[in-house]
Amino acid sequence: MDTDKTTTPEAGAAMESKDDTESFTKVKSKKSQKRKREQDGADMDTEGPVASKRPQFPPISSDKLRGPTEMRKIPVPAHRYTPLKENWLKIFTPIVENLQLQVRFNLKTRNVEIKTCKETEDIASLTKATDFVRAFILGFQVEDALALIRLDELFLESFDVTDVKPLKGDHLSRAIGRIAGKGGKTKFTIENVTKTRIVLADTKVHLLGSFQNIKMARTAICNLILGSPPSKVYGNIRVVASRTAERF
């Protein structure tokens, strides 16, 4: 009887291993999961794209778009009072007649104030007029600054000579002299090749032009500040300008 109840150690180990296999769950490999995901994605692609309608909104009327009147103030430094007074009619006419804005020079605060009114049709006109007046106050000619009103892709950019290289004393004067050149020759050459306008005001450099042209002019000016000879800068500008002309 005892021999029937007793089990061999081999049989007991086999039963334990069987129980272990039943208690553990089989983990799927990552490859099989990835394969299944790809198949699901392929099935979804075969179903075709879901037709989604683009929402259509009616155009907003100009009365609702106008909103409250906005005002911009442009401070005028003391050395620009006389040029502003002499060219006031040239500045006043395009802002009032073409952009349908109101403009005045506040004698107390020494600011040029530009304001929208009922006749203003385009909201962007205020920004254009502000850039136009700011360009003139920075030192650009009225004819050059007028291009900011007529064209949309023109920008103003300003930087300091000391931002490129911390120069002092005679070194700073020589760097400004290299940018201007003898009788302004270097500055005029950069302007003509890059189709930009440049104003040198003490250590400040102001650029007016399109984004790509400003980038070319800024690179040339920075090279001059860092000490490159003008002849080398001319060559680099002409190469870049010819490439951009071919590209367009």
Side-chain angles (χ1 to χ4, degrees), residues 118-190:
K118 292 180 180 179
E119 287 77 21
T120 309
E121 296 176 358
D122 189 8
I123 298 174
S125 301
L126 188 63
T127 307
K128 285 183 179 181
T130 308
D131 290 340
F132 166 56
V133 176
R134 188 177 286 122
F136 176 77
I137 288 168
L138 288 175
F140 293 98
Q141 296 293 325
V142 180
E143 292 76 16
D144 296 333
L146 265 173
L148 287 163
I149 292 177
R150 293 173 182 162
L151 302 172
D152 292 332
E153 297 179 356
L154 292 183
F155 304 96
L156 280 170
E157 186 171 330
S158 302
F159 65 93
D160 204 302
V161 173
T162 53
D163 293 339
V164 181
K165 192 176 182 181
L167 299 169
K168 292 179 182 178
D170 293 338
H171 297 291
L172 182 60
S173 303
R174 279 193 288 271
I176 296 167
R178 279 199 300 275
I179 298 169
K182 187 177 180 180
K185 181 185 173 185
T186 307
K187 183 175 82 78
F188 291 142
T189 306
I190 296 171

Side-chain angles (χ1 to χ4, degrees), residues 186-210:
T186 307
K187 183 175 82 78
F188 291 142
T189 306
I190 296 171
E191 284 181 341
N192 293 332
V193 175
T194 59
K195 296 177 183 176
T196 56
R197 287 289 174 268
I198 301 168
V199 168
L200 287 171
D202 195 20
T203 59
K204 292 279 185 184
V205 180
H206 308 294
L207 301 170
L208 170 65
S210 65

Side-chain angles (χ1 to χ4, degrees), residues 1-32:
M1 295 290 289
D2 294 335
T3 53
D4 296 335
K5 289 179 182 179
T6 55
T7 57
T8 57
E10 291 83 1
M15 288 178 71
E16 286 178 4
S17 62
K18 190 177 180 182
D19 293 338
D20 292 340
T21 53
E22 288 176 356
S23 61
F24 287 109
T25 56
K26 190 177 179 182
V27 179
K28 293 181 180 179
S29 65
K30 291 183 178 180
K31 289 183 178 179
S32 61

Side-chain angles (χ1 to χ4, degrees), residues 31-84:
K31 289 183 178 179
S32 61
Q33 290 178 359
K34 188 177 179 182
R35 199 177 296 116
K36 187 178 179 183
R37 207 178 298 123
E38 288 176 355
Q39 289 175 357
D40 293 341
D43 293 339
M44 289 174 68
D45 292 339
T46 53
E47 291 175 2
V50 180
S52 59
K53 291 183 178 180
R54 183 178 293 177
Q56 293 182 351
F57 300 104
I60 301 173
S61 62
S62 58
D63 297 331
K64 292 181 180 178
L65 199 63
R66 195 170 290 147
T69 56
E70 294 184 23
M71 181 186 282
R72 301 282 174 88
K73 295 180 181 180
I74 303 104
V76 182
H79 68 279
R80 295 301 290 172
Y81 292 159
T82 307
L84 184 70

